[in-house]
Amino acid sequence: MCAKLEKQHTHEITYEGLLKGNKDWVAATLEEDPSFFERLSAGQKPPILWIGCSDSRVPANQITNTNPGDIFVHRNIANVVVHTDMNMLSVLDYAVNVLEVEHVIVCGHYGCGGVAAAMGNKQHGIIDNWLRNIKDTYRLHFHELDIISDPVERGNRLVELNAIEGVFNLSKTSIVQNRWANGKKLSVHGWVYSLETGLIKDLNVSVQSNDHLGSVFKIEGLTTSS
């Protein structure tokens, strides 16, 4: 287990302080496990790909109590999964076909600023083009969302639906469907993290095949193992 250091947030975080913090962490880690970095530098074989929000309060390893090397991470504003995002698709392809992860987790978080911005009409700049994807999720589920009178509850539900749509969008990719066609294990899950409690909610939308997809989304001519 990687060393855990007490962190004081009563003082200003400085550039120099980050470098000192790194040295302190290395020293504490080596004291607890002298071979930690030797093992870590030998390579990675994480079983998990995490697609999460860029929010600084949602660090994948810390909230799951895992160590460096355990989770392969991709983050963007509001953990959006869209088929035109070559960054995300490149990460997904590497994780699935090279690292051979067995689980992909889309994790949103309640109180997400990106989701809140997408629910409004104010202009925010170039990010509006990115948030349009979340507005599309709202459009798909407006019958459910429009009847929620409490704006906080409505926002929380949109956070959940955004993660759920991310799961389904991942399962529509040729990357994921090829993995399934090759008979290899891969599960895609949707989670939401609570900043107020620190707990993760499993949205129970895990998928292990394309059986749940409509015929229009099922890809023909998938590769199979030789």
Side-chain angles (χ1 to χ4, degrees):
M1 177 63 69
C2 180
K4 306 295 183 181
L5 297 177
E6 290 188 5
K7 297 181 177 63
Q8 300 294 328
H9 295 290
T10 57
H11 65 279
E12 181 182 0
I13 301 296
T14 65
Y15 177 79
E16 293 78 11
L18 295 176
L19 295 172
K20 181 180 183 303
N22 168 252
K23 292 178 180 178
D24 291 344
W25 172 69
V26 169
T29 300
L30 290 174
E31 182 177 357
E32 182 176 318
D33 183 355
S35 62
F36 177 81
F37 292 105
E38 181 180 353
R39 293 197 313 274
L40 195 66
S41 63
Q44 62 170 330
K45 192 66 174 176
I48 309 292
L49 167 60
W50 175 282
I51 300 178
C53 182
S54 298
D55 194 299
S56 61
R57 301 166 294 176
V58 193
N61 285 112
Q62 191 167 355
I63 68 174
T64 57
N65 197 31
T66 53
N67 293 313
D70 291 340
I71 301 178
F72 197 62
V73 177
H74 172 77
R75 298 170 74 174
N76 62 53
I77 294 175
N79 49 275
V80 169
V81 176
V82 289
H83 298 106
T84 53
D85 183 358
M86 292 304 298
N87 187 358
M88 183 278 296
L89 290 173
S90 298
V91 170
L92 178 67
D93 182 64
Y94 185 78
V96 170
N97 293 318
V98 178
L99 298 177
E100 296 187 323
V101 299
E102 294 188 351
H103 299 274
V104 181
I105 297 168
V106 181
C107 186
H109 67 96
Y110 297 121
C112 179
V115 171
M119 291 178 64
N121 304 109
K122 182 179 178 181
Q123 292 190 41
H124 300 277
I126 194 171
I127 193 176
D128 292 330
N129 298 282
W130 182 254
L131 299 180
R132 195 77 61 206
N133 296 296
I134 304 175
K135 288 182 180 288
D136 287 339
T137 295
Y138 195 111
R139 175 180 56 81
L140 291 173
H141 300 278
F142 77 93
H143 290 101
E144 175 185 354
L145 292 165
D146 281 353
I147 63 175
I148 302 175
S149 58
D150 186 331
V152 174
E153 291 185 9
R154 190 186 315 122
N156 286 343
R157 182 54 180 159
L158 183 55
V159 165
E160 295 176 348
L161 292 169
N162 183 48
I164 291 170
E165 289 298 323
V167 170
F168 292 139
N169 283 342
L170 285 171
S171 65
K172 296 170 189 173
T173 64
S174 59
I175 297 168
V176 170
Q177 291 195 45
N178 273 320
R179 174 80 167 188
W180 288 331
N182 289 336
K184 295 182 179 179
K185 181 180 178 182
L186 181 67
S187 299
V188 186
H189 315 273
W191 289 0
V192 174
Y193 174 70
S194 171
L195 294 168
E196 295 182 348
T197 67
L199 296 174
I200 292 170
K201 178 180 180 179
D202 186 345
L203 297 174
N204 295 314
V205 290
S206 298
V207 294
Q208 295 83 33
S209 73
N210 65 1
D211 292 343
H212 66 289
L213 295 177
S215 59
V216 71
F217 295 111
K218 294 183 178 180
I219 302 172
E220 295 182 354
L222 297 171
T223 60
T224 56
S225 300
S226 57

